[in-house]
Amino acid sequence: MNLLGIADLDSAALDGLLRTAAAYRPLLEEPSAKVDHLRGRTVVNLFLESSTRTRVSFELAGKLLSADVINFGSGGSSLAKGESLRDTVETLSDMGFDAIVIRHASAGVPHQLTGWTDAAVVNGGDGMHEHPTQALLDCLTLQQTFGPDISGLSIAFVGDFAHSRVARSATLAFSALGATVTLVAPPTLLPHDLSPWPARVVHDLDALIDEDPPDVVYTIRPQAERMSEALYPSVAEYVIRYGITDERFARLPARTRLLEAGPLVRGVQMSNAVADSPRNLMHNQVRNGVAVRMAVLATVLDAVPAEWVEGEQ
Ligand code: CP
């Protein structure tokens, strides 16, 4: 089995991954706790684009499942000498591995890998396409905070949707779980085709806060590294219209929580005080990411004992 995107998951598969992640989650509170669900299996983490959270949490997840974990990047490998990605993956396959986690700057590369290896392929983020494990950890964090049924939640993303794989995957996942999603952005930061996005669009963040305040605000970093032209007048202008400033935060209801995938641009997406508020769930998200990645690795390798899926361990 592969995990290439949230778009490929039916509701049973999405629910199964979240239940398995919830079952693994308590392990993270036990010092030196490990399970042997992937003993004798090898996981390759092939990260060809920068990452802190996803790369390290996949490594930790593999180790907590007792897998042998190989971390591989372009630096120091023969990719730097011009070897193709296909030849690299086939070379690693010749040595033998059971699952490969790929992060790449180009959309569709995880799908390509499925033609080059019989191992399970997991998308760790591909260009502007999908980031399925981020969406899963976001769902787990909301279930942990608001209860297992999040179908009544209103979730407002604020920021750059033209370049964000995080927003695309999370919108699909939240919507599949019954939540209502709103995208808040200037027209220049919206994708050209919004038909695959199960969300409404508004441009005025202040009107949303005052007239229809959401349960969750999820800020999406302006992805400057993926922009070929200026899409808003200035950073200061962006903050004035779309930053979660102290003043806007004070106008949100006390129930409202913040999600933030990271890396966070403080002072742009939100103020320092908002970032450090206990209502910002970004640290919970990072921790839940380890449990989610354990669930994903064990699931794609068909190695989750039945009692763990049901959460009865
Ligand atoms: N959220 C996320 O994907 O972070 P990294 O780029 O640090 O992995």
Side-chain angles (χ1 to χ4, degrees):
M1 179 187 165
N2 305 309
L3 177 64
L4 304 183
I6 296 295
D8 302 328
L9 297 179
D10 60 21
S11 59
L14 179 61
D15 184 57
L17 284 166
L18 290 171
R19 285 160 69 92
T20 305
Y24 280 131
R25 181 63 180 80
L27 269 185
L28 306 182
E29 307 309 324
E30 296 173 29
S32 66
K34 263 188 168 190
V35 289
D36 62 2
H37 300 175
L38 291 186
R39 186 170 300 288
R41 316 293 284 275
T42 301
V43 176
V44 172
N45 291 321
L46 179 55
F47 275 67
L48 300 177
E49 191 193 54
S50 304
S51 170
T52 297
R53 282 148 284 268
T54 313
R55 182 174 55 81
V56 174
S57 60
F58 264 115
E59 179 176 354
L60 190 53
K63 288 177 175 172
L64 289 171
L65 292 163
S66 303
D68 294 315
V69 179
I70 296 168
N71 295 310
F72 195 87
S74 53
S77 79
S78 288
L79 281 161
K81 293 189 268 185
E83 184 165 57
S84 71
L85 181 57
R86 177 177 181 160
D87 284 336
T88 299
V89 171
E90 289 181 350
T91 298
L92 294 169
S93 291
D94 291 339
M95 292 183 232
F97 61 82
D98 299 286
I100 184 164
V101 183
I102 172 80
R103 169 168 288 197
H104 200 281
S106 296
V109 167
H111 178 76
Q112 277 187 301
L113 257 63
T114 63
W116 302 336
T117 176
D118 293 330
V121 177
V122 176
N123 183 356
D126 63 327
M128 296 185 275
H129 177 224
E130 278 237 33
H131 193 348
T133 58
Q134 178 68 47
L136 290 167
L137 73 88
D138 295 335
C139 290
L140 183 65
T141 303
L142 292 184
Q143 290 179 327
Q144 202 178 53
T145 305
F146 292 98
D149 179 3
I150 64 164
S151 63
L153 290 184
S154 60
I155 301 169
F157 286 90
V158 181
D160 177 3
F161 310 106
H163 305 93
S164 175
R165 59 194 176 209
V166 168
R168 180 194 303 268
S169 291
T171 296
L172 291 172
F174 294 158
S175 165
L177 295 175
T180 304
V181 177
T182 303
L183 309 181
V184 189
T188 51
L189 291 181
L190 289 168
H192 293 301
D193 180 11
L194 277 160
S195 59
W197 294 70
R200 69 170 174 155
V201 174
V202 302
H203 303 302
D204 188 337
L205 176 59
D206 288 310
L208 183 78
I209 289 174
D210 293 337
E211 295 161 18
D212 187 16
D215 300 306
V216 178
V217 174
Y218 195 150
T219 61
I220 299 292
R221 174 178 67 89
Q223 330 254 311
E225 73 277 18
R226 299 191 180 119
M227 293 179 195
S228 53
E229 56 186 330
L231 295 178
Y232 45 89
S234 67
V235 171
E237 185 81 14
Y238 179 90
V239 175
I240 288 169
R241 297 211 47 200
Y242 295 105
I244 308 301
T245 58
D246 294 349
E247 184 274 327
R248 285 199 178 101
F249 190 57
R251 278 165 39 221
L252 284 163
R255 69 170 191 281
T256 300
R257 296 291 179 271
L258 269 69
L259 291 178
E260 165 51 44
L264 167 66
V265 188
R266 285 174 180 258
V268 177
Q269 291 169 258
M270 61 184 77
S271 71
N272 267 325
V274 175
D276 295 333
S277 162
R279 288 164 59 194
N280 177 8
L281 303 177
M282 68 181 185
H283 295 294
N284 310 43
Q285 288 170 273
V286 171
R287 194 125 179 92
N288 288 334
V290 180
V292 157
R293 283 151 186 147
M294 290 175 76
V296 167
L297 291 175
T299 299
V300 297
L301 292 175
D302 197 18
V304 187
E307 64 272 21
W308 281 78
V309 183
E310 299 305 322
E312 292 172 359
Q313 72 290 350

